Amino acid sequence: MEKERILAEVQDIFRDVLDNDDLEINFNTVADDVDEWDSLSHIQLVVGIEKHFGLHFTSQQITKWKDVGAMCDDIATSI
Amino acid sequence: MLYQTKIRMIEIFKNMQAVRHKFVVSQKVYEAFQQCSGDYNPLHTKVEFAKEKGFKECVMYGNILNAFVSMLIGECLPTKDVMINSQDITYRQPVFLNDELDAELTVEKIYESVNVVDFKFRFNNVNGKTVARGHIQISVI
């Protein structure tokens, strides 16, 4: 799957989990850029992504995510 | 060290057997929940009203079962290091005063990356009918 397509699907997950239909994210987006993205919502974002794409990440993987782009890279290599 | 501890904690849910517990919706439970919630809706407090609506007696508060789920999570899991993230419940049959309910809680999915466990639960009455079922998600903290 193309990274742009993955980003679009990840954005839908972010909008649902963070309850913000207007949220726009890009590959450079980090938690500090999004008010609703805190440590608790991060858990729900990871769970939502794992469910949606049928993936299982490791804690080592997700601690290396510096931005949404890194998240999408891991998704792309795992599906 | 903290990281290793969490990994070990999540491991204990992998082979966890179903949690089973018997609950009774006693007068004490009913009154405590009523006072706690402040819900005096006549369906729960007026027999005549409940009968008008087709029930044999006052219907117990559905959310008493959510309180029972809280007990299952807080007291019956193999670790106390847990926190509830989310919970949903679907009611299928009414529950009445002094009903005995058999609760069963089973692991549905484990998200090791974020130390999260999804459970499903159900409550059966003495006739073996499911009165409610649902899902609950916890974090290992």
Side-chain angles (χ1 to χ4, degrees):
Chain A
M1 192 185 290
E2 288 179 13
K3 240 180 109 176
E4 296 290 343
R5 170 81 181 166
I6 291 171
L7 178 64
E9 293 186 18
V10 166
Q11 179 167 271
D12 285 343
I13 295 166
F14 269 62
R15 287 178 173 181
D16 180 47
V17 170
L18 303 179
D19 198 22
N20 182 348
D21 292 339
D22 301 322
L23 180 65
E24 299 279 346
I25 60 170
N26 57 53
F27 293 124
N28 298 316
T29 301
V30 296
D32 285 346
D33 297 329
V34 182
D35 286 344
E36 304 92 341
W37 189 353
D38 55 25
S39 59
L40 286 178
S41 59
H42 183 71
I43 290 171
Q44 296 307 321
L45 288 170
V46 174
V47 168
I49 288 167
E50 289 195 16
K51 274 185 183 172
H52 180 81
F53 292 100
L55 301 174
H56 294 287
F57 295 119
T58 64
S59 52
Q60 293 94 327
Q61 269 180 298
I62 66 168
T63 52
K64 288 177 185 168
W65 292 346
K66 300 295 183 202
D67 53 25
V68 169
M71 185 185 282
C72 292
D73 285 339
D74 260 357
I75 295 169
T77 56
S78 302
I79 55 177
Chain B
M1 184 56 79
L2 179 63
Y3 166 72
Q4 288 178 346
T5 303
K6 279 194 172 181
I7 290 293
R8 246 183 269 124
M9 290 256 186
I10 202 82
E11 289 288 325
I12 63 179
F13 291 100
K14 284 186 176 175
N15 299 311
M16 197 191 98
Q17 294 189 330
V19 170
R20 293 189 176 84
H21 194 87
K22 195 177 287 292
F23 293 96
V24 179
V25 185
S26 64
Q27 184 73 27
K28 189 177 170 186
V29 167
Y30 166 71
E31 288 175 1
F33 187 86
Q34 190 173 71
Q35 288 171 17
C36 169
S37 67
D39 179 0
Y40 294 89
N41 183 285
L43 184 65
H44 306 302
T45 55
K46 304 286 184 197
V47 180
E48 300 76 21
F49 183 89
K51 284 184 174 174
E52 276 176 27
K53 300 299 177 187
F55 299 100
K56 63 178 184 179
E57 56 189 275
C58 287
V59 177
M60 293 295 98
Y61 300 94
N63 279 318
I64 287 176
L65 303 191
N66 276 328
F68 291 161
V69 173
S70 182
M71 183 275 184
L72 292 173
I73 296 298
E75 300 293 336
C76 300
L77 294 180
T79 174
K80 302 289 188 208
D81 298 335
V82 295
M83 179 182 74
I84 295 173
N85 293 338
S86 61
Q87 186 170 341
D88 68 70
I89 190 165
T90 303
Y91 303 106
R92 300 172 63 84
Q93 298 280 336
V95 172
F96 302 106
L97 190 65
N98 293 321
D99 274 3
E100 292 181 13
L101 303 174
D102 289 314
E104 183 181 86
L105 178 79
T106 52
V107 172
E108 198 169 34
K109 193 164 184 179
I110 296 173
Y111 300 90
E112 291 183 56
S113 58
V114 282
N115 293 303
V116 165
V117 184
D118 282 349
F119 292 93
K120 58 182 177 182
F121 64 84
R122 66 172 60 234
F123 290 90
N124 288 350
N125 63 20
V126 289
N127 299 318
K129 283 196 173 180
T130 298
V131 298
R133 65 185 183 191
H135 305 85
I136 187 159
Q137 185 186 80
I138 62 142
S139 279
V140 180
I141 55 175

Short mmCIF file of all heavy atoms in Angstrom, two decimals, chain A residues 11 14-24 34 36:
data_model
loop_
_atom_site.label_atom_id
_atom_site.label_comp_id
_atom_site.label_asym_id
_atom_site.label_seq_id
_atom_site.Cartn_x
_atom_site.Cartn_y
_atom_site.Cartn_z
N GLN A 11 -5.09 8.94 9.23
CA GLN A 11 -5.77 10.19 9.59
C GLN A 11 -7.21 9.92 10.04
O GLN A 11 -7.69 10.53 11.01
CB GLN A 11 -5.77 11.16 8.42
CG GLN A 11 -6.48 12.47 8.73
CD GLN A 11 -6.22 13.54 7.71
OE1 GLN A 11 -5.27 14.29 7.82
NE2 GLN A 11 -7.07 13.59 6.70
N PHE A 14 -7.03 8.69 13.53
CA PHE A 14 -6.76 9.82 14.43
C PHE A 14 -8.03 10.63 14.68
O PHE A 14 -8.33 11.00 15.81
CB PHE A 14 -5.68 10.74 13.82
CG PHE A 14 -4.27 10.39 14.22
CD1 PHE A 14 -3.72 9.17 13.88
CD2 PHE A 14 -3.50 11.29 14.92
CE1 PHE A 14 -2.42 8.85 14.25
CE2 PHE A 14 -2.19 10.99 15.30
CZ PHE A 14 -1.65 9.76 14.96
N ARG A 15 -8.78 10.89 13.60
CA ARG A 15 -10.00 11.70 13.74
C ARG A 15 -11.01 11.01 14.63
O ARG A 15 -11.67 11.65 15.45
CB ARG A 15 -10.61 11.96 12.35
CG ARG A 15 -9.82 12.97 11.54
CD ARG A 15 -10.41 13.17 10.16
NE ARG A 15 -9.73 14.25 9.45
CZ ARG A 15 -10.05 14.65 8.23
NH1 ARG A 15 -11.02 14.05 7.56
NH2 ARG A 15 -9.39 15.64 7.65
N ASP A 16 -11.11 9.70 14.47
CA ASP A 16 -12.07 8.94 15.28
C ASP A 16 -11.62 8.89 16.75
O ASP A 16 -12.38 9.22 17.65
CB ASP A 16 -12.20 7.53 14.71
CG ASP A 16 -13.17 6.68 15.51
OD1 ASP A 16 -14.27 7.16 15.81
OD2 ASP A 16 -12.82 5.53 15.85
N VAL A 17 -10.38 8.49 16.97
CA VAL A 17 -9.88 8.32 18.34
C VAL A 17 -9.82 9.66 19.08
O VAL A 17 -10.20 9.75 20.25
CB VAL A 17 -8.49 7.65 18.34
CG1 VAL A 17 -7.86 7.69 19.73
CG2 VAL A 17 -8.59 6.21 17.84
N LEU A 18 -9.37 10.68 18.37
CA LEU A 18 -9.19 11.99 19.03
C LEU A 18 -10.45 12.86 18.94
O LEU A 18 -10.47 13.98 19.44
CB LEU A 18 -8.00 12.73 18.40
CG LEU A 18 -6.67 11.97 18.46
CD1 LEU A 18 -5.56 12.79 17.80
CD2 LEU A 18 -6.28 11.62 19.89
N ASP A 19 -11.50 12.29 18.33
CA ASP A 19 -12.80 12.96 18.25
C ASP A 19 -12.67 14.35 17.65
O ASP A 19 -13.18 15.34 18.19
CB ASP A 19 -13.43 13.03 19.66
CG ASP A 19 -14.93 13.31 19.60
OD1 ASP A 19 -15.53 13.04 18.56
OD2 ASP A 19 -15.47 13.82 20.59
N ASN A 20 -11.97 14.42 16.53
CA ASN A 20 -11.76 15.71 15.85
C ASN A 20 -11.86 15.47 14.34
O ASN A 20 -10.90 15.05 13.70
CB ASN A 20 -10.39 16.27 16.23
CG ASN A 20 -10.13 17.62 15.59
OD1 ASN A 20 -10.87 18.05 14.69
ND2 ASN A 20 -9.09 18.30 16.04
N ASP A 21 -13.05 15.73 13.80
CA ASP A 21 -13.30 15.45 12.38
C ASP A 21 -12.52 16.36 11.44
O ASP A 21 -12.42 16.08 10.24
CB ASP A 21 -14.80 15.58 12.07
CG ASP A 21 -15.61 14.48 12.75
OD1 ASP A 21 -15.01 13.44 13.10
OD2 ASP A 21 -16.83 14.67 12.94
N ASP A 22 -12.02 17.46 11.96
CA ASP A 22 -11.30 18.41 11.11
C ASP A 22 -9.79 18.23 11.17
O ASP A 22 -9.05 18.97 10.51
CB ASP A 22 -11.64 19.85 11.54
CG ASP A 22 -13.13 20.13 11.44
OD1 ASP A 22 -13.75 19.64 10.48
OD2 ASP A 22 -13.67 20.81 12.33
N LEU A 23 -9.34 17.26 11.93
CA LEU A 23 -7.89 17.09 12.13
C LEU A 23 -7.19 16.75 10.82
O LEU A 23 -7.63 15.87 10.07
CB LEU A 23 -7.66 15.96 13.16
CG LEU A 23 -6.20 15.65 13.49
CD1 LEU A 23 -5.54 16.83 14.17
CD2 LEU A 23 -6.14 14.42 14.40
N GLU A 24 -6.12 17.47 10.54
CA GLU A 24 -5.28 17.17 9.37
C GLU A 24 -3.90 16.80 9.88
O GLU A 24 -3.30 17.54 10.67
CB GLU A 24 -5.15 18.42 8.47
CG GLU A 24 -6.47 18.95 7.92
CD GLU A 24 -6.95 18.19 6.69
OE1 GLU A 24 -6.15 17.44 6.10
OE2 GLU A 24 -8.13 18.34 6.35
N VAL A 34 -0.75 18.25 18.09
CA VAL A 34 -2.18 17.90 18.21
C VAL A 34 -2.57 17.93 19.68
O VAL A 34 -2.08 17.14 20.48
CB VAL A 34 -2.46 16.50 17.62
CG1 VAL A 34 -3.94 16.17 17.69
CG2 VAL A 34 -1.94 16.39 16.19
N GLU A 36 -5.15 16.99 21.35
CA GLU A 36 -5.79 15.80 21.95
C GLU A 36 -4.86 14.60 22.04
O GLU A 36 -5.22 13.59 22.64
CB GLU A 36 -7.03 15.41 21.13
CG GLU A 36 -8.06 16.52 20.96
CD GLU A 36 -7.85 17.34 19.70
OE1 GLU A 36 -6.73 17.32 19.14
OE2 GLU A 36 -8.80 18.03 19.28
#
